[in-house]
Structure formats: C-alpha cells, structure tokens
C-alpha cells in the first residue's frame, strides 16, 4: 500500500526569494537574477523525494517571469539540478517555460529536520511588471520507494515591480581597501550602488590611475597609485542632479613638488637636500657641520680654516 501525496498537493512547503530583492522588471543592461527556492517538511513524518520540477513562465507578458535566453543554471546541496527542454519529461505544462529538474542524489535520504535551498541563477527577468507564478511538481512519498502515480502540485508567486527612480541613498560605502599607502603605493577604491549608473572618480595631482583604468566606470571599483595624502571624489548623476561621495588615502612618506613653511620646522631625523638651500637667517648647530664642497662668504669666496 503506497502513501503518495494527494493529487494536487505537495508534501513539502515551498517559498521563494529573489536576489536582488525586491525584484524589478528588467531594463536594458540589467544584471542576471538569482532565485532561491526554499523547501521544507512541515509535517511530523519524514518525506522521501525522487524529483522536483520547477517551471518558470517565459515570455514578455506581465505573468512571465523570465524573458531572455533559456540559459539559467541550478544547484542544491545533495541534489542534481539541471535544465530540461519542453517534451523531455511527460507531464510538463504546455506553453513557453524554462524548466529545471532537481533529483535527489540519494533517494533514501528523507527530508525531515533540514530544509533544502534550490538556487537558480543567471536568469534574465522579463521587462513587464506583474505577478508571475513558478509551477512546482513534486514526486514524493512518506514511504521510501512507493512513488505516487502523479506528482503533487503547487505554485509560488513572484512580483516584478516597476523599476523605480534610483534613490540617492542607494550609492554608499565609498572607501579605499587600505586607508593608508606608501608613496607610490597601490590604491583600490570600491563602493556600493547599481551598476547601471556612470560613476566618475576624480582626484588631485597626488594620485594616478592604473594602466587601462577608466575615469568613468560602472563596475564599482577604481585602481591607481598615490604619492601623497589624496582625497578621491566619486560623482554620479541621478534625476539630473550630480551627487558626490569622498574618501581620503593618507601617505606617511609623501612626495611633494613644493613646500612652504611660514612657521618653525623641526626635523628629528636626517635631512637630505638634493639641490640648493637658501638661508636668510642664522644657522646654528650643536654638532659638526660637514660639507663635501666649500662654505662661501657673501662675495662667493670659500671659507677656509677653523672658524672661531
């Protein structure tokens, strides 16, 4: 005597979440979407599962979920998830669908305490807002090997919301991977935000972009080098308004093209001057002053002998 799932019902409970969430109807250049379908046993008895088929409506209608090429990929721990074509399995719904079949690698392993997460990735969402339904056909039983003659059936609804205007706050976390770098050291800037915006990274003369690094990017990162303390500016345009974020990288051994000190300057280590040094005041030293050339008087005559 078998104990199959009643016709039209499943023994497992199902729900789905999208990545990203919430899910928006696709726009040109939108990145692929991932679906996580969670299944668990809500009853008191163990459930054995032979296969589960997920059918995603395909097309350009409001009730369609996916609209691009049928090239998604699936996975789940302990399961084999593969995409199948229309007609490859008896009982698939008629019409345009993207089908995935999940088979238990060990049919003797029950679904009891632990749930299952089926991941379907690289999906191209259709462009019309609306509510789509994933159809689920489950071949399962409470008695191992006693499979039902027809699968249990349920659906999970997914809403494709209209694409909103991008809020300014969605761009954030602009920072350097390392906030301090040696002079000439590498800088890697990252931030969070939609990859549909054009971002421009600008800076002063203390930084330089890496080879082949573009000033305007969409991949949420920028690479270059820095020779002194530099503030980087990330600008982007939303709703015809330009917005800006900043981050600073400090350099403990800066390379300067010029320096003017209006007050006292103290050097606690060695001081090396590669060019001329002009002093308009008194030079005092508590130790020897050594030169490899001459000390000259105001007329340019070398000073010789012991100074007294």
């Amino acid at each position: 005597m078998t104990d199959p799932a009643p016709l039209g019902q499943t023994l497992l409970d199902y729900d789905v979440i999208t990545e990203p969430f919430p899910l928006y109807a696709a726009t040109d250049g939108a990145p692929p979407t991932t679906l996580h379908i969670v299944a668990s046993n809500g009853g008191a008895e163990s459930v054995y599962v032979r296969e589960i088929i997920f059918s995603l409506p395909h097309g350009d209608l409001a009730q369609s979920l996916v609209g691009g090429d049928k090239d998604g990929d699936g996975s789940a721990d302990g399961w084999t998830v593969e995409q199948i074509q229309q007609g490859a399995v008896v009982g698939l719904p008629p019409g345009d669908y993207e089908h995935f079949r999940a088979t238990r690698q060990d049919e003797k392993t029950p679904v009891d305490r632990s749930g299952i997460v089926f991941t379907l990735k690289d999906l191209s969402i259709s462009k019309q807002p609306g509510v789509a339904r994933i159809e689920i056909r489950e071949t399962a039983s409470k008695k191992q090997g006693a499979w039902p003659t027809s699968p249990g059936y349920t659906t999970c609804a997914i809403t494709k919301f209209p694409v909103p205007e991008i809020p300014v706050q969605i761009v954030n976390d602009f920072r350097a991977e390392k906030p301090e770098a040696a002079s000439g050291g590498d800088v890697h800037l990252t931030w969070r935000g939609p990859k549909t915006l054009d971002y421009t990274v600008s800076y002063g003369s203390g930084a330089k972009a890496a080879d082949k690094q573009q000033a305007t990017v969409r991949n949420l990162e920028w690479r270059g080098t820095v020779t002194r303390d530099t503030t980087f500016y990330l600008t982007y345009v939303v709703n015809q308004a330009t917005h800006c974020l900043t981050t600073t990288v400090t350099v403990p051994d800066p390379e300067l093209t010029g320096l003017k000190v209006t007050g006292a300057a103290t050097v606690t280590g060695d001081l090396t001057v590669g060019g001329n040094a002009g002093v308009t005041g008194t030079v005092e030293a508590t130790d020897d002053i050594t030169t490899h050339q001459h000390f000259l008087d105001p007329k340019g005559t070398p000073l010789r002998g012991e100074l007294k």
Side-chain angles (χ1 to χ4, degrees):
M1 184 68 179
T2 63
D3 185 18
L7 184 63
Q9 298 182 14
T10 59
L11 294 179
L12 300 181
D13 299 320
Y14 295 87
D15 206 348
V16 62
I17 190 171
T18 63
E19 184 182 339
F21 178 84
L23 181 64
Y24 295 110
T27 57
D28 292 336
T33 294
T34 297
L35 301 183
H36 299 290
I37 304 173
V38 180
S40 64
N41 182 2
E45 301 178 69
S46 295
V47 173
Y48 299 88
V49 182
R50 186 174 65 181
E51 73 172 15
I52 306 171
I53 295 178
F54 304 103
S55 299
L56 283 56
H58 183 278
D60 57 2
L61 303 176
Q63 60 265 38
S64 304
L65 179 61
V66 287
D69 296 334
K70 297 181 179 181
D71 55 359
D73 189 20
S75 63
D77 291 341
W79 293 71
T80 299
V81 183
E82 57 183 351
Q83 191 172 9
I84 57 176
Q85 301 300 318
Q86 183 75 39
V89 175
V90 176
L92 291 182
D96 194 2
Y97 286 85
E98 193 163 340
H99 302 287
F100 293 86
R101 177 171 57 185
T103 54
R104 190 77 160 175
Q105 294 172 358
D106 183 4
E107 294 180 354
K108 297 181 180 180
T109 301
V111 179
D112 40 32
R113 294 184 179 181
S114 299
I116 312 162
V117 179
F118 300 96
T119 299
L120 308 181
K121 60 183 180 179
D122 295 331
L123 303 174
S124 298
I125 300 303
S126 62
K127 296 183 178 181
Q128 290 294 332
V131 178
R133 293 185 179 274
I134 297 177
E135 299 187 20
I136 300 172
R137 290 165 173 80
E138 168 200 276
T139 301
S141 173
K142 294 180 181 178
K143 184 177 180 181
Q144 199 279 323
W147 306 118
T149 56
S150 60
Y153 174 83
T154 190
T155 63
C156 288
I158 300 179
T159 301
K160 299 172 297 172
F161 293 95
V163 178
E165 293 289 347
I166 299 173
V168 176
Q169 293 81 1
I170 202 170
V171 182
N172 57 68
D173 198 22
F174 180 46
R175 60 189 177 88
E177 186 178 75
K178 296 180 180 179
E180 183 178 275
S183 180
D186 294 333
V187 173
H188 181 204
L189 305 177
T190 61
W191 59 94
R192 297 179 184 271
K195 292 186 178 181
T196 54
L197 289 177
D198 290 326
Y199 301 94
T200 300
V201 177
S202 55
Y203 41 86
S205 59
K208 180 181 179 182
D211 292 341
K212 299 181 180 180
Q213 174 64 63
Q214 300 296 320
T216 300
V217 297
R218 287 191 172 188
N219 63 345
L220 309 182
E221 67 173 349
W222 183 93
R223 294 179 183 273
T225 58
V226 66
T227 57
R228 58 178 177 270
D229 292 358
T230 300
T231 298
F232 294 89
Y233 300 85
L234 177 72
T235 56
Y236 56 97
V237 178
V238 174
N239 299 331
Q240 299 181 341
T242 301
H243 304 272
C244 180
L245 297 175
T246 64
T247 190
T248 300
V249 176
T250 60
V251 178
D253 55 341
E255 178 181 323
L256 304 176
T257 56
L259 177 64
K260 180 179 181 179
V261 181
T262 58
T266 302
V267 179
T268 58
D270 295 336
L271 176 63
T272 301
V273 180
N276 296 326
V279 180
T280 59
T282 302
V283 176
E284 297 181 0
T286 58
D287 208 336
D288 294 340
I289 297 177
T290 302
T291 177
H292 295 288
Q293 295 296 327
H294 302 293
F295 285 106
L296 305 179
D297 67 10
K299 295 182 180 181
T301 304
L303 300 176
R304 299 180 183 277
E306 183 178 354
L307 297 179
K308 295 184 180 179

